[in-house]
């Protein structure tokens, strides 16, 4: 496993989060808070996004979405898993979300590990990497080439895993879409 590159101690990281929340509160209470900071009265997101946990790929930022607009499920490699599927079923079934977007990205560490192998990884991470690798064609040796394949796989897996999502999609009340975000230039490619 590679050496971590984080340059902050836990105390410094917590201080940064506290300071950031203070700035958020100041903008919220300011004379003219941005519309993106208005606190929604109800939970009525317009879309759900299944994305990677990578800190460079924040759906709210990439889609310039105000608070309450996106229902976001994130994990390494945008794997939905049981909790992710259940969360999406809540979004679609209870909140009426009409769109689920699976958002992959370039330079994905989870896909890089899937391509390289799981040697030396902690067991749970190695299991996730093996699951990612199992969904890729054997000839894929580049994580960026794997990204759209993984997005398509997750789209398919969501429909297979959830009768509710499959039923809503078949009835035309739910659309599923995929996209890959390029972390080097900020472009989004819809699949």
């Amino acid at each position: 496993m590679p050496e971590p590159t984080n340059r902050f101690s836990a105390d410094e990281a917590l201080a940064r989060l506290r300071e950031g929340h203070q700035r958020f509160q100041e903008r919220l209470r300011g004379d003219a808070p941005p519309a993106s900071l208005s606190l929604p009265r109800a939970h009525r997101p317009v879309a759900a996004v299944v994305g990677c946990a990578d800190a460079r790929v924040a759906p709210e930022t990439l889609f310039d979405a105000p608070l309450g607009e996106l229902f976001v499920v994130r994990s390494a490699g945008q794997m939905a898993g049981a909790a992710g599927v259940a969360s999406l079923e809540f979004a679609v079934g209870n909140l009426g979300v009409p769109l689920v977007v699976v958002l992959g990205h370039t330079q994905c560490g989870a896909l890089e590990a899937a391509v390289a192998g799981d040697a030396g990884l902690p067991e749970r991470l190695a299991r996730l990497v093996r699951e990612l690798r199992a969904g890729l064609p054997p000839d894929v040796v580049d994580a960026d080439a794997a990204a759209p394949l993984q997005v398509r796989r997750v789209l398919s897996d969501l429909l297979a895993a959830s009768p509710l999502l499959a039923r809503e999609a078949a009835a035309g009340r739910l659309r599923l879409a995929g996209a890959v975000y390029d972390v080097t230039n900020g472009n989004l490619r819809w699949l």
Side-chain angles (χ1 to χ4, degrees):
M1 188 160 174
E3 187 65 29
T5 58
N6 193 319
R7 63 188 187 280
F8 298 105
S9 71
D11 289 340
E12 291 168 329
L14 182 57
R16 284 178 68 92
L17 293 180
R18 287 180 172 163
E19 290 164 6
H21 184 71
Q22 183 63 39
R23 288 189 305 274
F24 169 81
Q25 287 287 305
E26 288 167 5
R27 287 192 311 269
L28 192 62
R29 290 189 299 256
D31 292 335
S36 63
L37 290 185
S38 66
L39 298 177
R41 299 277 184 239
H43 192 195
R44 293 191 186 107
V46 299
V49 179
V50 179
C52 186
D54 190 307
R56 300 169 295 175
V57 190
E60 298 87 346
T61 301
L62 300 181
F63 295 115
D64 194 23
L67 293 173
E69 190 163 288
L70 297 179
F71 186 100
V72 180
V73 175
R74 293 177 74 175
S75 68
Q78 65 273 349
M79 297 291 284
V85 172
S87 297
L88 293 172
E89 288 180 335
F90 176 78
V92 172
N94 293 62
L95 302 176
V97 168
L99 174 67
V100 172
V101 175
V102 176
L103 178 64
H105 68 95
T106 60
Q107 298 182 9
C108 178
L111 288 176
E112 287 172 358
V115 169
D118 62 6
L121 297 176
E123 180 51 36
R124 290 177 196 261
L125 182 54
R127 202 173 345 171
L128 179 121
V129 165
R130 286 191 298 271
E131 187 177 344
L132 282 167
R133 181 67 206 178
L136 297 173
D139 61 337
V140 173
V141 294
D142 176 73
D144 287 356
L149 301 174
Q150 174 62 7
V151 167
R152 288 184 177 101
R153 172 190 175 199
V154 172
L155 287 166
S156 175
D157 287 355
L158 289 175
L159 292 174
S162 172
L164 183 146
L165 298 180
R167 182 179 64 245
E168 293 300 299
R173 291 184 294 268
L174 174 66
R175 180 174 179 181
L176 285 90
V180 176
Y181 173 70
D182 189 325
V183 300
T184 64
N185 61 26
N187 290 335
L188 189 69
R189 178 170 54 103
W190 292 94
L191 304 178

